[in-house]
Amino acid sequence: MNEKIFKTLKSAETEDWLDYHVIRPLCYYLSVFFAKLGVHPNTVTILSMIVGAASCVFFASGCFYYEGTMGLIMNLIAIAMLMVADLLDCTDGQLARLTGKKSRLGRILDGLAGFTWFIPIYHALVWRFYQHHELEFSLLGINETEQNVIIATIVVYILGVVSGFAGLALQQRLADYYIQVHLFFLKGEKGSELDNSKRQQEIYDQMGPEVPAYERSFQKSYIDYTRKQEKATPQFQRLLARLKEKFGSTSNIPADVREDIHRHSLAIMPWNGMLTFNFRSAFLFLFCLLDVPAMNFVWEIVGMGLLCLYVNKRHEAFCKRIADNL
């Protein structure tokens, strides 16, 4: 990776192999293109939301087993659209760093992008199950009756809701937080976007009537976002408070303490990266191509849930140990 591309990254340590070697270089050239056109990073984020959400129309189609070649084409279009949405979502941050057009709203929008994609996609998958469920019914030995179809669809919808809120939202929220924590101890306060709910509440309270309603709404949702991150990481919050209590400003943290935290955090980054788009979406694509998309909900709740628990417990454990030794 050349120096120009590298400078638009948050850090090589928070990127997985695919992002570092393929996605980020592509996004850099997209960033240069958008910069020449004078496009704002927030516009790219919104475009990402539109493309990702629109893919639900194609995800709603059965694949080859149910709808033959046309079904396969529809699913491949859906996959391509979601990959383009992810490219744009990665591009907005690199464009912001390239042009210096960083903003609080941009940070909030970037956190919301993935949720904007997956809410309509998950609803499309439930509709798809309602239309095409022969494989699942055959596997589970369920008779094809109208009542069974309705009951099964309700169950799948519930799984989708749990997968969306207790799975996707929780897991990506935590993964994003751990990336910012890592950058905080790697680059310092200016090199990360490690926000806290108290400060975000202060920003919201200071917003006057001249601030657009949509921005106030986004800011309010971001307060809830950061509170949930803090609630899921009590030992890290304790460590942060202990560091501030003992050393005052975070810039005064001794190098050996900072390096100890960084070393343990770095070991978790590959696992944390699996909670983000690339690894997660690979299973969505696989289940859709195999014509059993409802299995994606089960995988996100169980498989990704266990991975998220592992990352959380491991991070909390080293934070507790370091805080106890301070």
Side-chain angles (χ1 to χ4, degrees), residues 256-304:
D256 61 327
V257 175
R258 188 180 290 274
E259 176 54 33
D260 191 22
I261 297 170
H262 170 259
R263 179 167 51 86
H264 284 87
S265 177
L266 181 60
I268 297 174
M269 281 299 103
W271 299 98
N272 190 67
M274 294 169 71
L275 295 172
T276 56
F277 180 83
N278 293 339
F279 185 76
R280 178 187 304 278
S281 61
F283 284 92
L284 171 64
F285 300 160
L286 175 64
F287 291 131
C288 285
L289 292 173
L290 293 175
D291 261 324
V292 286
M295 283 300 298
N296 185 66
F297 299 149
V298 178
W299 165 249
E300 286 214 326
I301 295 168
V302 180
M304 296 297 290

Side-chain angles (χ1 to χ4, degrees), residues 95-106:
L95 178 61
R97 286 184 285 275
L98 183 68
T99 60
K101 296 179 180 178
K102 297 181 181 180
S103 67
R104 184 180 67 254
L105 180 59

Side-chain angles (χ1 to χ4, degrees), residues 10 42 44 51 77 228 238 240 252 271 273 277 300 308:
K10 294 177 181 177
N42 292 353
V44 178
V51 173
I77 291 173
K228 287 176 178 176
R238 175 171 167 260
L240 203 57
N252 295 330
W271 299 98
F277 180 83
E300 286 214 326
C308 184

Side-chain angles (χ1 to χ4, degrees), residues 22 87 123 153 170 223 278:
V22 181
L87 276 173
H123 279 86
T153 303
L170 183 153
I223 295 169
N278 293 339

